[in-house]
Amino acid sequence: MILRLIERTGVFLVSLAVSSVLVFAFMAVLPGDPARVALGVNASDEAVAELRQQFGLDRPLPTQYFDWLGGLLHGDLGTSYVSKVAIGPQVFDRLQVTLWLVVAGMIIALLVAVPAGTLMAARHRKLSGLALSAVSQVGVAVPAFLAGILLIVVFAVKLGWLPANGWTPPAQDPGMFLKQLILPALSLGLVQGAVLTRYVRSAVLDVLREDYLRTARAKGLRPFQALWRHGLRNAAVPVVTVLGLQLATLLIGAVVVERVFVIPGLGSLLLDGVSNRDLLLVQDVVMVLVLAVLLVNFVVDLLYVALDPRLRTAS
Amino acid sequence: MKSSFRIRAVAFVASAAVLALTACSAGSSTSSGSSPGGDQKLSIGLVAEPASLDFTTTDGAAIPQALLGNVYETLVKQDDSGKIVPSLAKSWTVSPDRKTYTFDLVDNAKFTNGKQFTANDAVFSINRVKTAWTTSLKAAMDVVSGAKALSPTQLQVTLAKPSNDWLFRMTTRIGAMFSESGVSALATDPVGTGPFKFSKWNRGDSIVMVRNDDYWGSKPFFQQVTLKYFKDATALNNALLTSTINVIGTVQAPEALSQFTSNSKYQVIEGTTNGEVLLSFNNSRPVFKDLRTRQAIRMAIDHKALLDTCWAGRGKLIGSMVPPTDPWYEDLTGVAPYDLAKAKSLLQASGAAGKTLRLRLPTLPYATSCGQVVKSMLEQAGLKVQIDQLEFPAAWLTTVFKNADYDMSIIAHVEPRDLGAVFNAKYYTRYDDPTLQGYLAAADVGDEAAQIDNMKKAARRLSEQAAGDWLFLIPNLIVADKDIKGLPTNAITENFDLSKLTR
């Protein structure tokens, strides 16, 4: 158990280090000079050179990389080239917005996927199971942004029940916050839910075929009781793994959904940063996203062990 | 127009091409006649959020659009018809040699940090353009050789040589008046004398401005105006349809207008802008050295059909680099009328027929859609056209604008009075024409009549020489709740004047 923990931590840290090099390298080869974008096209070469120096872009790449990394390790994300404002607090504010979306989306996905997937597995030979299966297939095929646009057209523009876009922090106006959260969270959650449903279904199907479940049935438990008491916990192991991977796609999906719903989250910060060639900001945001994804996978690895005692002895 | 370089077109140019569309104008400070409307609020949907609030060091049209005229004021400004009228300067005189300007300033203007506005602030602001500004626009101030305060309300500015253009540029952002004690945090805390005070910037979402109750002129109607930024045309439209905003300041997708024109809850305003959509030629390429080739391209394009296809028929055909709101506008669409047969024979004669031209387009809606039409029209005339999409702004800026690595491109030049800036040997058009430069120089130093006369000659010269092709003028398209008044018909200045809006 301890060994496994150390091993996983090692993998996590190495991945993080490698990612930081990759992220930095990609920014370095991205075309477009931040100084020129900031100054406008007719800026003289001297003015551009001066600003590059101010930004520190004239230093050797390794120096720039280690300065950036050093800052990150101290929790200092630097100052934006364009807005001249500290990046750290901005990223933190935006991250909170995106986290609300992701968490709400995940909850909706689970609320959809666990019952629907279980039902589909339990009834996989019946018409109701097949029908559910077909519906989930459609859900898988729909991208989150399209779901978002459809939801807006129906619930905001046609019916006028919910706002089409915007964001209010929960502390400022909880009612408005919920109203504005519903549609984007649904567009993320329904799509993710559809994907997750398929995994829940196959996990539960696998469990249904296990000997211990037959034994439970033989003891006199009804099918759903057996599944509830003995099956679901075991079915959860593969599902949790997928859930971790899904969280990563959910984060990416949030970036797109933020644009459709005009939500000032991490995704819109990233897009603005790219178009303004605010490279430091882009580097920081991408790194935060990478960290989030790696962290989730790390936690999933640990959860995996917690859920399945067999894995504790395996290593 | 000595330096032609104020055009920073780019970032600007496009950032939105459409973006700038909004502006409008000015009007004299005493005109509006509206009384403050209590605590009423207004929300305006725009595209392209500013990257910073400091237009002295960051380029782009979004910052002056929000702040100029609303938070910062200039000595002189443009009225709706393009005329230069008083603002912080009540009046001004020009010496007979046209090199000394004496401005009489208003005596009751105050900065929002409490400081009185005086001639010393004007001197400070003018000098600061040369010393502290970094964007290329600052070059327009180069012609100033000295500025001094004759009294708290009298300012004298001396030019190194006569320049009509200088006074005009004083209506733009470089003429903005700052307080010496208010420039420490321009990027986050703008301090000006305008009818609105900057209140709050929710990054990624909106900028909030509130009425300046100490304003020296007539006070705005709305207590609070929110500029809300959208990156997506559909989201912008939906926001108006669901009453999240009251005004779409810059329509991004004219083909989607019908949902508003068919609904009596909304009004649609259509006017003109300074945004000439230019099919630019790289005049330094051998293929464009031959006048016949350039003319042939202009004649091969059916401009009316093109406008209908790629911008839903909204916009105006102009035929040269002058919008109808400039005093020297003439309709020059007849210089190179659509004539496919003639275009074909000109191309044969010049030997360009069958050649491949590289049309490098920025990733902007109008450029992408019009580029396809241009390609098919030119191919009918016997040219081959290869389209490349370049990400805007960064990639397009570097490749086309900075390095002139292109044959043709399409971009809206939204700067006001930018004819001389766009067509010269140093600009990406690489258009080297001493005759044109002669007209422009004469226009800048002469009196008003000479200016108009020479600018007309310059515009006609461009059109006859086919230095590029003007596809159309971007329309000023605004959609708003029916009861909003004071919206600008034409968008000819850098700012979106919020002080004239009423309900």
Side-chain angles (χ1 to χ4, degrees):
Chain A
M1 176 75 180
I2 299 290
L3 260 181
R4 192 172 166 85
L5 192 67
I6 293 170
E7 180 205 322
R8 291 285 94 195
T9 311
V11 169
F12 170 67
L13 291 178
V14 170
S15 319
L16 208 54
V18 171
S19 318
S20 73
V21 174
L22 286 179
V23 169
F24 181 84
F26 276 123
M27 291 305 126
V29 299
L30 197 67
D33 180 347
R36 189 163 289 279
V37 173
L39 293 182
V41 276
N42 286 307
S44 64
D45 289 344
E46 299 87 70
V48 172
E50 200 183 306
L51 195 64
R52 286 181 63 84
Q53 194 192 357
Q54 232 177 313
F55 289 166
L57 291 167
D58 55 343
R59 296 168 306 160
L61 285 179
T63 317
Q64 292 186 41
Y65 171 74
F66 284 110
D67 277 6
W68 174 59
L69 197 66
L72 287 188
L73 293 177
H74 289 100
D76 173 14
L77 273 58
T79 304
S80 155
Y81 295 157
V82 179
S83 65
K84 325 274 194 304
V85 176
I87 296 172
Q90 280 191 73
V91 170
F92 183 69
D93 284 355
R94 301 296 190 94
L95 190 61
Q96 291 179 341
V97 174
T98 302
L99 278 183
W100 275 115
L101 266 186
V102 170
V103 169
M106 194 48 109
I107 291 172
I108 290 172
L110 282 172
L111 286 179
V112 170
V114 173
T118 312
L119 212 65
M120 275 158 65
R123 306 239 167 105
H124 69 282
R125 292 220 176 81
K126 307 225 172 76
L127 192 64
S128 55
L130 289 173
L132 265 177
S133 207
V135 171
S136 80
Q137 198 66 269
V138 173
V140 172
V142 176
F145 78 89
L146 184 60
I149 292 171
L150 293 175
L151 287 170
I152 289 175
V153 169
V154 176
F155 293 101
V157 177
K158 293 269 184 269
L159 296 173
W161 291 351
L162 292 163
N165 43 43
W167 181 263
T168 311
Q172 189 182 319
D173 181 349
M176 197 61 196
F177 162 74
L178 278 179
K179 272 195 199 168
Q180 289 178 332
L181 180 66
I182 292 175
L183 290 185
L186 272 181
S187 51
L188 274 179
L190 289 181
V191 172
Q192 290 300 313
V195 177
L196 207 57
T197 303
R198 324 266 327 153
Y199 287 102
V200 173
R201 175 179 179 271
S202 67
V204 173
L205 268 182
D206 284 349
V207 167
L208 283 176
R209 296 192 188 106
E210 294 280 351
D211 292 342
Y212 59 79
L213 215 68
R214 200 174 323 130
T215 312
R217 293 285 311 276
K219 281 197 309 182
L221 289 179
R222 276 173 292 155
F224 266 105
Q225 279 178 317
L227 200 56
W228 182 251
R229 290 212 196 143
H230 303 280
L232 281 187
R233 183 181 160 111
N234 289 300
V237 175
V239 171
V240 164
T241 315
V242 174
L243 209 61
L245 296 172
Q246 291 283 92
L247 241 164
T249 41
L250 211 58
L251 261 176
I252 309 305
V255 169
V256 180
V257 165
E258 277 171 21
R259 175 159 174 150
V260 174
F261 288 93
V262 198
I263 292 169
L266 216 48
S268 47
L269 187 67
L270 183 65
L271 288 177
D272 288 349
V274 171
S275 61
N276 294 329
R277 283 301 182 274
D278 200 346
L279 295 191
L280 191 56
L281 181 111
V282 175
Q283 252 166 257
D284 286 344
V285 174
V286 173
M287 217 40 230
V288 167
L289 288 173
V290 167
L291 175 70
V293 170
L294 289 177
L295 206 60
V296 167
N297 283 334
F298 179 59
V299 171
V300 165
D301 268 349
L302 300 184
L303 268 181
Y304 210 68
V305 180
L307 279 169
D308 191 342
R310 280 172 298 180
L311 292 170
R312 281 177 217 166
T313 44
S315 59
Chain B
M1 257 200 171
K2 133 184 190 192
S3 79
S4 39
F5 293 138
R6 13 202 131 103
I7 281 258
R8 59 202 148 150
V10 183
F12 187 106
V13 164
S15 71
V18 205
L19 191 173
L21 312 180
T22 32
C24 133
S25 100
S28 90
S29 55
T30 49
S31 74
S32 81
S34 59
S35 55
D39 57 357
Q40 289 211 50
K41 295 175 180 177
L42 184 75
S43 204
I44 300 179
L46 297 171
V47 294
E49 183 182 12
S52 145
L53 294 180
D54 181 3
F55 56 61
T56 74
T57 58
T58 307
D59 205 359
I63 320 174
Q65 179 185 47
L67 299 185
L68 195 66
N70 298 319
V71 172
Y72 296 115
E73 288 185 292
T74 47
L75 298 180
V76 287
K77 61 185 182 181
Q78 274 188 285
D79 69 6
D80 293 331
S81 64
K83 224 177 114 209
I84 297 175
V85 298
S87 180
L88 282 171
K90 285 187 289 194
S91 63
W92 63 94
T93 56
V94 189
S95 65
D97 68 357
R98 304 187 67 78
K99 293 208 288 198
T100 306
Y101 287 72
T102 310
F103 296 91
D104 280 312
L105 309 178
V106 297
D107 57 10
N108 55 345
K110 247 170 126 177
F111 288 100
T112 48
N113 65 5
K115 294 273 191 300
Q116 187 76 23
F117 167 73
T118 68
N120 284 322
D121 296 305
V123 172
F124 166 74
S125 303
I126 288 172
N127 288 335
R128 194 171 179 276
V129 174
K130 293 191 183 190
T131 56
W133 286 45
T134 59
T135 66
S136 54
L137 289 170
K138 70 184 217 170
M141 208 58 101
D142 288 351
V143 70
V144 172
S145 58
K148 64 179 174 193
L150 302 178
S151 78
T153 58
Q154 209 169 42
L155 167 76
Q156 191 181 70
V157 178
T158 319
L159 306 185
K161 65 174 185 65
S163 173
N164 291 316
D165 195 55
W166 174 74
L167 189 66
F168 174 74
R169 296 300 154 183
M170 288 299 285
T171 69
T172 68
R173 66 186 96 165
I174 65 157
M177 291 293 130
F178 295 88
S179 162
E180 189 157 4
S181 56
V183 293
S184 54
L186 288 177
T188 50
D189 184 20
V191 173
T193 58
F196 285 92
K197 282 193 283 196
F198 168 78
S199 164
K200 194 169 161 212
W201 184 7
N202 304 305
R203 271 168 214 278
D205 182 64
S206 56
I207 289 176
V208 182
M209 289 193 264
V210 296
R211 181 164 56 215
N212 177 5
D213 286 318
D214 291 332
Y215 184 55
W216 61 278
S218 60
K219 295 179 187 53
F221 175 84
F222 288 102
Q223 198 275 324
Q224 179 185 307
V225 178
T226 303
L227 305 180
K228 203 163 160 42
Y229 294 97
F230 296 82
K231 267 151 217 106
D232 181 84
T234 313
L236 183 55
N237 293 343
N238 286 336
L240 183 63
L241 287 170
T242 55
S243 301
T244 309
I245 57 174
N246 310 103
V247 179
I248 294 177
T250 60
V251 171
Q252 293 294 292
E255 66 278 4
L257 267 182
S258 59
Q259 60 190 325
F260 300 109
T261 49
S262 61
N263 188 330
S264 62
K265 276 168 67 185
Y266 305 107
Q267 53 175 323
V268 176
I269 289 173
E270 180 169 354
T272 64
T273 64
N274 286 324
E276 303 97 352
V277 179
L278 174 68
L279 171 66
S280 51
F281 304 153
N282 183 348
N283 286 285
S284 66
R285 292 274 157 105
V287 65
F288 287 113
K289 294 277 188 212
D290 194 314
L291 173 64
R292 290 168 297 184
T293 307
R294 306 198 300 265
Q295 282 174 330
I297 292 178
R298 291 199 65 192
M299 289 182 171
I301 294 172
D302 180 350
H303 293 82
K304 177 75 181 63
L306 175 132
L307 183 60
D308 286 345
T309 311
C310 68
W311 215 236
R314 309 266 179 173
K316 187 169 171 59
L317 306 181
I318 42 177
S320 188
M321 196 71 185
V322 180
T325 40
D326 279 349
W328 41 84
Y329 170 75
E330 280 183 292
D331 181 355
L332 294 173
T333 50
V335 171
Y338 174 59
D339 187 339
L340 187 57
K342 189 154 179 218
K344 279 182 183 165
S345 66
L346 281 171
L347 286 175
Q348 289 296 342
S350 73
K355 285 201 173 142
T356 301
L357 296 178
R358 207 159 186 194
L359 177 57
R360 310 196 88 159
L361 301 172
T363 47
L364 295 165
Y366 62 85
T368 310
S369 59
C370 298
Q372 296 297 337
V373 183
V374 166
K375 176 182 158 88
S376 81
M377 286 177 173
L378 294 188
E379 289 188 337
Q380 276 176 28
L383 287 165
K384 291 200 178 71
V385 177
Q386 181 199 332
I387 289 183
D388 297 336
Q389 289 272 359
L390 296 175
E391 180 251 359
F392 189 89
W396 186 86
L397 263 187
T398 308
T399 311
V400 175
F401 200 92
K402 173 94 192 343
N403 300 333
D405 179 10
Y406 78 108
D407 295 323
M408 299 186 290
S409 186
I410 294 176
I411 192 101
H413 287 270
V414 298
E415 269 277 289
R417 307 198 177 174
D418 51 2
L419 185 156
V422 172
F423 291 97
N424 68 70
K426 289 187 202 151
Y427 210 66
Y428 81 109
T429 54
R430 299 287 194 265
Y431 185 68
D432 192 2
D433 181 359
T435 312
L436 178 75
Q437 296 307 323
Y439 293 142
L440 293 173
D444 199 24
V445 299
D447 59 15
E448 201 179 338
Q451 185 187 21
I452 292 177
D453 181 47
N454 281 293
M455 289 306 293
K456 279 186 175 165
K457 286 184 188 152
R460 183 169 287 277
R461 168 90 185 162
L462 272 187
S463 191
E464 286 172 353
Q465 287 293 308
D469 185 49
W470 298 270
L471 297 179
F472 61 95
L473 188 76
I474 288 192
N476 178 38
L477 282 174
I478 294 178
V479 185
D481 289 348
K482 194 97 193 170
D483 59 346
I484 308 282
K485 296 182 195 72
L487 291 160
T489 307
N490 295 329
I492 56 172
T493 63
E494 292 190 295
N495 66 305
F496 196 135
D497 189 346
L498 305 174
S499 66
K500 289 209 283 188
L501 302 179
T502 64
R503 200 197 289 274

